[in-house]
Amino acid sequence: VAERIKHEGLRSKIMTAEQAAEFVQNGMNVAVTGFTGAGYPKALPTAIAEKAKAEHAAGRPFSIGMVTGASTAPECDGVLAAANAIHFRNPFQSDPTLRNNINAGNIAYQDMHLSHVEQQMRQGFYGEFDLAIIEVSSINAEGKLIPAMGIGHANEALKAAKKVIIEVNSGQNIKLEGMHDAVFDIGVPPHRKPIAITAPFDRVGAPYLECDLDKIVAIVLTDAGDRNSKFADPDDNSKAIAAQIIDFFNHEVKAGRLPKNLLPLQSGVGNVANAVMAGLLDAPFDDLTGYTEVLQDGMLDLILAGKMKHASATALSFSPDALQRFNENIDFLRDKLILRPMEYTNSPEVIRRLGVIGMNAMIEADIYGNVNSTHIMGTKMMNGIGGSGDFTRNAFFSFFVSPSVAKDGAISCIVPMVSHHDHTEHDVMFIVTEQGMADLRGKSPRQRAQLIINNCAHPDYRDMLRDYYDRAEKAGGLHTPHLLMEALSWHQRFVETGDMRIK
Ligand code: 0RQ
């Protein structure tokens, strides 16, 4: 304990998770750290869930509003959702129990751009924060907090909350100290300061988080690991998608439109995004850089292989194997990885300045290049928009990737009209499926439709899309032709029959 908590006064605040849960009361507004399965509290949420169950059994209401950085894990979002202990949640999630409760109407969920979270907390959109619960890897002698594998909104959570509970996780590598770029007060408009990151590895803040020590009411100890989900090995579809993006990079480098080491790379969540990074391992590019929010196995392996110089992120989200590689090589990685608040990693200002190449996965795109990243059949929440919008609108190149079909071909990921709209035709530059790529830059909607149908749609759906498009053109409205009564009929057919294809 003395190694992890060097501040004597704070050591006296150590208590069990059950004791700390007594500070959590019904109706509280709580900021909880966590970002894509890293940096979230591991012990306290279970104790809060148990308290909720006991309160419910006694006939009393108990639930909290919860603002995180992004997704957490079963032992945080999952246990709390299962105990009906959450009434409001934002801004991103991916836990099945939480998702089911959101889609069953039990939890009010606000999906939002991650770059907006901290400023909206500061502006008071959520009211006052009664409590912040944050994970750290250690506390130094002055009481400065060393975050663990994810920062997210921790900086703002500590400032906004009236009381703070800290989970000190001794399972996290103690050598994480120094790998963060955490505190820098960007101020509020009209006096907001620039975030002076002009290259991916620039440091602008201090390497620790700060908190008024009087606000800290409890310290809970844990050694539990992060979520560490395993990634699927890249399948043929993912490899085909990666190969096309890499071909495009080659082409742009040869034409002198991209530097030889490309531009800072951002890669979204999930298997396909991870596979694109894996594809770069064998590509002829060196000295790559990363400026991303979540850094998964693919980017770690690029750094370990000497292909990527360094990368900036707000969280490290590794599979168990990759975590082992990270821990074994932490001395080599210390000056190649930097973790910052999501307000910096997702800042439109910085993304635009650096000329980031954004690569995100999607649920579906329509024939005009509008993208749905969040909703299944227009009504059910999958995970949330996360940072995909922050990057897509502001990146130098914005790619959306997906297999052309889902659910064994019963769903086309290229549809006449998206059933929910996250990224507009004005933001989306490239759509890539295993079938091919559509470069939408400088194209009108009708030109885009030809490219997307011919290059990206699955052969099983191409004729159906052409037929829709041809009839829409005949109906007039020739800027963005549509048959409004039919535009969402593919989704309706899937809801009714389990297949978008006409039997
Ligand atoms: O479902 O798991 O039940 O089989 O969706 O699909 O193809 O494995 O894709 O893991 O890359 O996730 C968009 C969800 C893709 C993710 C999304 C079904 C499919 C499968 C997953 P099963 P895949 P991935 C940075 C950026 C938004 C946030 C973001 C995401 C499951 O990338 O959440 O980009 N993105 N953040 O079968 C119905 C369709 C479907 C479909 C796929 N058209 N209709 N179901 N599926 N297409 C990180 C952060 O912001 C934190």
Side-chain angles (χ1 to χ4, degrees), residues 35-36 69-71 92-94 99 114 266-274 292-294 296 346 359-365 372-377 382-389 391 400-408 411-415 423 491 494 500:
F35 201 102
T36 52
S71 52
F92 182 85
Q93 51 74 42
S94 64
R99 180 188 296 136
L114 297 184
Q266 177 258 342
S267 155
V269 280
N271 292 318
V272 181
N274 194 51
T292 186
E293 52 190 321
V294 51
Q296 307 182 134
N346 288 40
M359 291 174 277
N360 292 287
M362 64 185 184
I363 286 173
E364 61 183 7
N372 167 16
S373 289
T374 57
H375 281 64
I376 304 295
M377 300 300 142
M382 182 74 180
N383 302 323
I385 192 168
S388 56
F391 283 91
F400 274 98
V401 300
S402 170
S404 63
V405 290
K407 305 293 174 208
D408 295 325
I411 294 174
S412 174
C413 298
I414 307 295
V415 289
H423 311 287
H491 299 85
F494 178 83
M500 281 186 174

Side-chain angles (χ1 to χ4, degrees), residues 147-161:
M149 301 285 270
I151 297 187
H153 70 342
N155 198 0
E156 193 54 41
L158 289 167
K159 274 192 221 155

